[in-house]
Amino acid sequence: MGVSVNAQTSRGDESLAEVAWQRSEDGSYSPSSYINRDLSLLQFHLRVLAQAASPRHPLLERLFFLIIFSSNIDEFFEIRVAGIMQKLNIGDVSTSAHGMRPSEVLNEISTVTHDAINEQYRILNEDILPALAKEDIRYLKRDELNAEQSAWMKRYFTEQVSPVLTPISIDPAHPFPRLVNKSLNFIATLEGKDAFGRDINLAIVPAPRSLPRVIRLPDELTGGKEHHVMLSAIIHEHIGELFPGMNVTGCHQFRLTRNADLDLADDVEDIAKALEGELENRRFGDKVRLEVTTDCPTHISEYLLNEFELHDNQLYRVNGPVNLTRLLFDFNIPALRYQPFTQVIPKEFRREMDKLDKATSMFAAMRKSDVLVHHPFHAFSPIVSLLWQAASDPKVLAIKQTLYRSGTNSEIVKALAAAARNGKEVTAVIELRARFDEASNIAVANYLQEAGAVVVYGIVGYKTHAKLMLIVRREDDRIRRYVHLGTGNYHAANAKVYTDYGLFSADPDISEDVHNIFQELTGMGKPANLKKLLHAPFTLHDKLMSFIDDEIAHAKAGKRAHIIVKVNALTERRLIGKLYDASQAGVKIELILRSMCCLRPQVKGLSENITVRSVIGRFLEHTRVYYFYNNGDERLYCGSADWMDRNLFHRVEVAFPIEDKKLFKQVYQDGLINYLHDNTQAWTLDGNGVWQQLQPAADETPHIAQEHLLKVINGVGETT
């Protein structure tokens, strides 16, 4: 399976794929019916890389997509490839629905990724860097510096770099050092004798992480232009000063990627302490990838491969810096960035905030009707404002909230802490195991506990991934609950670049459901009997299966049957099988998936009525929306759960109904139909596992879903 970063097709050109699929007597589908999830995820990364090659995006945004691709590939190796290697060590046998053995998956990953890395650096060197140079943004090489700049670089090395470098010779007393995951390192070849008369011919120089990887040259040396040098160039130019009396015959940068997944037992006594121990191990996990530059001699790369016990196909030669994630891109040049926009406050909140009683205005708005926000087009600030109002409102008795990714500088966390100090009963359910945010979450937990909040870590073995806030308020001798439910994390920065929905509600049934879920998370007992919310790991999967069954029944009765699902990933085998059943019954199924898709659409006899598309653009698509026509009694849910095994069976997730007719129409039109009309930033998947980017037909007007929302919600692109 593969995708070209320039591949495009017009809508309607797809034909049904011929796949040798089978169905057994027990109803299960053969492995050929499924796409490997890791290869599917890799294809998503290629779609991101394609954005860096597209002139449709402003220049600095293209550079940012290139950096995001690097970061994505790093995590792909740290987590996914590392996991497959562990399976291979146990045995080269298939344990997945797709039927591929670990060795087969690793070989395919190696082939696709090597080609992708070559394309990444081609885009950098042939497209982006020359275009940046025309804008006087340059990353200067050593031989491009003039005499004054070279002299400055020497002073910078002497004053800033050399004092924190530690060259390590390779000899019997100094074995090869244990290098930190993804750190920048240099291997130097030497001639001559050191201070003790020893013949040392190899040394390793780790670049300290405290040093910036890109250094801006002083304005007086560039005329105020954005000219920079890489730390690797500075070290390379002056590495000889680290070995006085010896001759440096070669210097080559390299970077090692390690397994960074955490392995916690289910029977740990203190999850926070166990995580703190595992975080240190993450820096020195098993080796999975070696990066060197294209000019690194073969004998050096072979030496490193042997030292790290890696194979040739785990070596990646790059034509440039070995770590593009540290490149600068955030230059203040508006002409080279996306057009800025002002995030909107929903008018329901604006009306109440204009009144005199601003201290409780949001509660008044929520009593009148549900309020929906669609980030990043709508601001994140109403969530923060609601918490601050609750923190200072004497009528508020308690606040409960789930936190998955936050930081101690978050306004959300500060408001919760303030509420606790003001005597409110504050409970924070913090999921410590949010990947790569574990240390931050531990700090948040400590901060809130010091403020007097009750902090719990959810349920061992089940990540708390639901996005829930509950505020309990005494009003006229009665208790009223207010809730916020979302599809994304309580993270202000993410809310500027992720598309997510959030619902503010005072609906008694939904509020009681949220209350019961918090009771479930902090106490003990049987699963809560919920009235309106769907709840993983208990009811969500079964309900989704039954909703699909309802559509199958309608289709078989000759009635209209329609399913639209927008999630980040679809990998759960039973749901895929049920969608295949629905397709064969005549149900129209439209899937909008950001990344992984293990379902094969448009396969003759199997999935003729299923289409799959992915929209990649300015914002990271993150909304989860499930729509079922249900014979006219339409069902529409937003939620925190993707259609994956982990979300449906091993996480605490919540899906909430959109019942208000106006909000229903808003989510249906903006969040689903709008994306199905995208003919420019959308990619479609065929039954062979190949993604193709759409382009408008000759008689079509270009439609970009995210730009449409910017126009209708934020007024971007409108003339006055």
Side-chain angles (χ1 to χ4, degrees), residues 52-204:
S54 173
R56 185 178 293 117
H57 301 292
L59 180 58
L60 287 176
E61 307 297 348
R62 292 173 62 187
L63 177 59
F64 182 59
F65 277 116
L66 208 65
I67 292 169
I68 289 297
F69 173 76
S70 287
S71 177
N72 287 350
I73 290 296
D74 279 353
E75 183 174 339
F76 183 73
F77 273 89
E78 290 175 293
I79 305 300
R80 301 309 313 168
V81 173
I84 302 169
M85 289 175 62
Q86 287 180 328
K87 291 180 181 178
L88 180 61
N89 290 335
I90 296 173
D92 192 18
V93 294
S94 173
T95 58
S96 303
H98 54 78
M100 295 180 70
R101 301 194 310 275
S103 62
E104 294 174 322
V105 178
L106 288 173
N107 287 337
E108 181 69 13
I109 287 173
S110 177
T111 299
V112 173
T113 309
H114 275 92
D115 289 343
I117 297 300
N118 290 336
E119 175 66 6
Q120 176 191 21
Y121 281 84
R122 185 204 65 76
I123 294 170
L124 175 70
N125 294 315
E126 298 181 14
D127 297 345
I128 292 180
L129 290 182
L132 288 173
K134 292 180 180 179
E135 303 291 340
D136 269 333
I137 301 173
R138 302 188 65 190
Y139 299 92
L140 297 171
K141 298 179 180 178
R142 292 177 292 151
D143 58 6
E144 294 176 324
L145 301 177
N146 60 34
E148 288 183 330
Q149 292 168 340
S150 295
W152 175 88
M153 186 170 73
K154 180 176 177 59
R155 289 195 302 274
Y156 185 89
F157 176 83
T158 302
E159 297 171 2
Q160 303 291 332
V161 180
S162 180
V164 292
L165 290 180
T166 304
I168 304 169
S169 62
I170 306 299
D171 63 61
H174 301 87
F176 200 97
R178 193 181 184 197
L179 301 176
V180 174
N181 181 34
K182 296 186 298 185
S183 59
L184 173 64
N185 301 278
F186 298 83
I187 181 168
T189 54
L190 309 169
E191 289 181 347
K193 297 183 181 296
D194 69 358
F196 297 95
R198 298 173 301 173
D199 287 313
I200 304 294
N201 55 28
L202 277 181
I204 301 297

Side-chain angles (χ1 to χ4, degrees), residues 352-365:
E352 292 298 329
M353 291 169 70
D354 289 338
K355 296 180 181 179
L356 292 177
D357 190 13
K358 294 183 179 181
T360 58
S361 61
M362 297 189 70
F363 297 117

Side-chain angles (χ1 to χ4, degrees), residues 315-374:
L315 173 69
Y316 289 80
R317 291 183 174 272
V318 300
N319 187 17
V322 296
N323 184 4
L324 296 186
T325 60
R326 300 289 289 273
L327 274 181
L328 289 179
F329 77 95
D330 198 14
F331 303 106
N332 186 24
I333 306 177
L336 303 182
R337 307 303 302 267
Y338 288 127
Q339 185 177 352
F341 67 97
T342 301
Q343 292 180 301
V344 174
I345 304 292
K347 61 183 179 181
E348 296 88 350
F349 289 146
R350 293 201 307 270
R351 281 198 296 261
E352 292 298 329
M353 291 169 70
D354 289 338
K355 296 180 181 179
L356 292 177
D357 190 13
K358 294 183 179 181
T360 58
S361 61
M362 297 189 70
F363 297 117
M366 293 167 68
R367 285 195 297 271
K368 291 181 179 180
S369 67
D370 289 352
V371 182
L372 185 78
V373 289
H374 190 179

Side-chain angles (χ1 to χ4, degrees), residues 553-620:
H554 297 319
K556 289 182 176 179
K559 300 175 182 179
R560 175 185 170 188
H562 192 189
I563 298 171
I564 309 174
V565 177
K566 184 175 186 293
V567 290
N568 295 332
L570 170 60
T571 65
E572 203 281 308
R573 186 171 184 173
R574 280 183 284 173
L575 276 174
I576 292 174
K578 187 65 71 174
L579 290 173
Y580 285 153
D581 294 346
S583 173
Q584 293 160 35
V587 180
K588 181 181 180 181
I589 302 168
E590 297 175 290
L591 305 177
I592 309 166
L593 307 175
R594 186 187 78 202
S595 58
M596 289 181 287
C597 179
C598 294
L599 176 148
R600 292 189 183 275
Q602 298 290 284
V603 173
K604 187 175 180 179
L606 176 70
S607 55
E608 296 178 38
N609 292 310
I610 304 177
T611 60
V612 176
R613 62 172 44 215
S614 174
V615 174
I616 309 293
R618 174 175 181 172
F619 307 115
L620 183 73

Side-chain angles (χ1 to χ4, degrees), residues 660-675:
D660 181 279
K661 291 182 178 180
K662 184 182 69 172
L663 301 185
F664 186 109
K665 182 178 180 181
Q666 182 180 333
V667 174
Y668 180 77
Q669 291 292 340
D670 291 351
L672 296 177
I673 302 303
N674 173 43
Y675 283 86

